[in-house]
Amino acid sequence: MLLQVLLSGLAIGAVYGLMAMAFAIVFYVTRVINFATGQLLMVSIMITAALSRAGLPDIVSVVVGVLASTVAGVLIYLLAVRPVLRFDRFSFAWLVSTLGVAIVLQSLAAIIWGPTSRGFPALLNRDNLHIGGAGISVQELLTIIVAIVVLVGFELVRRRTLFGKLGQAISADPEMASAIGARVTGFAIAAFAIGGLLAGVAGILVGPITFSNPYLGDTYGIFGFIALMIGGIERPAAAMGAGSCSASCPSVRTRSSARRRPTGSRSSSSWPCC
Amino acid sequence: MSAESTTPVIAPALRLEGLYAGYGRFDVLHDIALHVERGEAVALLGPNGAGKTTLLRAIMGMVKQRRGVIEVAGTDVSRLPTHRIARGLVGIVPEGRRLFLGQSVEDNLRLGGLHLRHDHARTAQLLRSVFDLFPVVERYRARPATALSGGEQQMVAIGRMMMSDPELMLLDEPSLGLAPLAIQSMADALLALRERGRSILLVEQRVDLALQVCDRIYVLSGGRIVEQGAADDIDGRGRALIDAYLG
Ligand SMILES: Nc1ncnc2c1ncn2[C@@H]1O[C@H](COP(=O)(O)OP(=O)(O)O)[C@@H](O)[C@H]1O
Ligand SMILES: [Mg+2]
């Protein structure tokens, strides 16, 4: 029973974790929080669902959906973030402009596909596995695996490659990084692309257990953002961990928190939603 | 070498002509004319707030130049983005060093040679030359940059600049905050770089260090060049003049 809760929790937590990662990679490189990240997840869900309804094979719909959110991520940087940073590198105008993009994307989706919920292809959600008496769908298992691969991949690149170290350098001191020859703008575009890609993938992974709805970006955006805040905004890996824990812990937490309160500020008490 | 009179056959390492630059709507630098010949070490002296850092930043493309010429080794860099200038044209040891503190000494050095990263032989050779100049840096190569003393960090910053093998080396008050012993070893390192034929523009507040290391000096005050001359021409009178400017 506990295992069942943990497994389902882990799967949905992995989605929040991917969303946290999407926020964190963008912030890590550019110091910008892309408040339209949740809407990027929505874009991939809506486009995949629409293409699938139009009769395209699942694989094509999924690839186009993820590509769309990736491209949308880059466009957000080019159209809504770079212009305001150019005007003043230290202003917080991106806060307003990315929130604006979120509303625009949401409204556009509602105009194109209507404001009501529609189906999403089941993908791998039909097949079930059994692990020690608990059931998990292949889709959920895939979600957990993808989250782990992304996490490990990110940390390997960050710590082991010159590219990853350059990312750290840009994060710490973008001007000095450009003074050693780094294309800071190129990195920023890549970060927004990866953010869009991760949000898109999260959308595909969670799609089959939800539905396609223009407003569902909000929910996942907020969860991802909270996971980012808990994990620590400087550390994408921790943000992802926080996202995963947050969803799988609530049932366990209600029992343990009475006994032992964590000393750090990173307690799980700030979860209004689980 | 009296560099003013000769017309160089090859382009100088740095040529500034009628340069105006500054922040926002205000010019900090006014009508700057300055040159550094190949293999020459030039000092830029001046009081706090004179615009020395701004001048180096303008060469790196970090401060918008409003008017005038900035040429590095014959290339007009005034319209190039900073990262292009950094790829083999100009290397900088900035004010306050600005090492990548979260990373190891060796990673700091390798990041300095970013545009040469695919040329493994050249990178290895440059790394060797840094280690030859600063044996301490080789000993500490695996340590995090934060674990080093101020003087050692300054060596890493100079090494990071050397790794890009630039036509022109800029150093912004490298002696600031260092112990006397560390200052002397820094001066020795700069002399060694000059011996190797590097072109250097050194911003300094310490006149003795500047005169020891450099061939010529410029004095900047209030954003204008107010004095210039060969380092060995600076007699008692010139010295007094410079001291007056430096306050
Ligand atoms: N980022 C900046 N924005 C606006 N003004 C600046 C900035 N940095 C320096 N200044 C001004 O430019 C002038 C020259 O500064 P700086 O080049 O740092 O002098 P120095 O390096 O010779 O001490 C000073 O009056 C300073 O107030
Ligand atoms: Mg200065």
Side-chain angles (χ1 to χ4, degrees), chain B residues 22-24 26-29 44-57 63 95 172-173 203 205 220 223:
Chain B
Y23 306 91
F26 302 100
D27 283 343
V28 171
L29 301 173
L44 184 63
L45 305 172
N48 272 330
K52 306 182 296 296
T53 297
T54 304
L55 180 64
L56 297 194
R57 291 168 57 82
V63 172
E95 199 167 31
D172 198 346
E173 305 204 34
V203 163
Q205 296 252 23
L220 191 70

Side-chain angles (χ1 to χ4, degrees), chain A residues 165 173 175-176 179 181-182, chain B residues 57 83 87 98 103 107 160:
Chain A
K165 285 164 184 170
D173 189 343
E175 191 185 61
M176 191 59 222
Chain B
R57 291 168 57 82
H83 73 268
R87 294 178 181 188
R98 290 165 79 170
Q103 309 197 40
D107 286 341
R160 180 177 65 180

Side-chain angles (χ1 to χ4, degrees), chain B residues 201-212:
Chain B
L201 180 60
L202 170 70
V203 163
E204 256 305 330
Q205 296 252 23
R206 304 179 60 98
V207 184
D208 51 341
L209 179 66
L211 294 180
Q212 183 192 350

Side-chain angles (χ1 to χ4, degrees), chain A residues 159 162 164-170 172-184, chain B residues 57 60 62 82-83 86-87 90 92 94 97-98 100 102-103 107 110-112 114 117 160:
Chain A
R159 293 177 193 206
L162 194 64
K165 285 164 184 170
L166 186 57
Q168 286 185 61
I170 290 174
D173 189 343
E175 191 185 61
M176 191 59 222
S178 71
I180 57 162
R183 292 177 50 120
V184 176
Chain B
R57 291 168 57 82
M60 282 306 291
M62 293 165 165
T82 301
H83 73 268
R87 294 178 181 188
V90 187
I92 187 167
R97 298 190 279 272
R98 290 165 79 170
F100 301 119
Q103 309 197 40
D107 286 341
R110 287 189 183 280
L111 284 169
L114 199 61
R117 65 189 175 282
R160 180 177 65 180

Side-chain angles (χ1 to χ4, degrees), chain A residues 20-30 150 154 190-192 194-195 198 228 236:
Chain A
M21 196 76 151
F23 275 105
I25 287 181
V26 166
F27 181 81
Y28 190 67
V29 176
T30 63
V150 167
F154 175 79
F192 271 82
I194 293 170
L198 290 180
L228 178 75

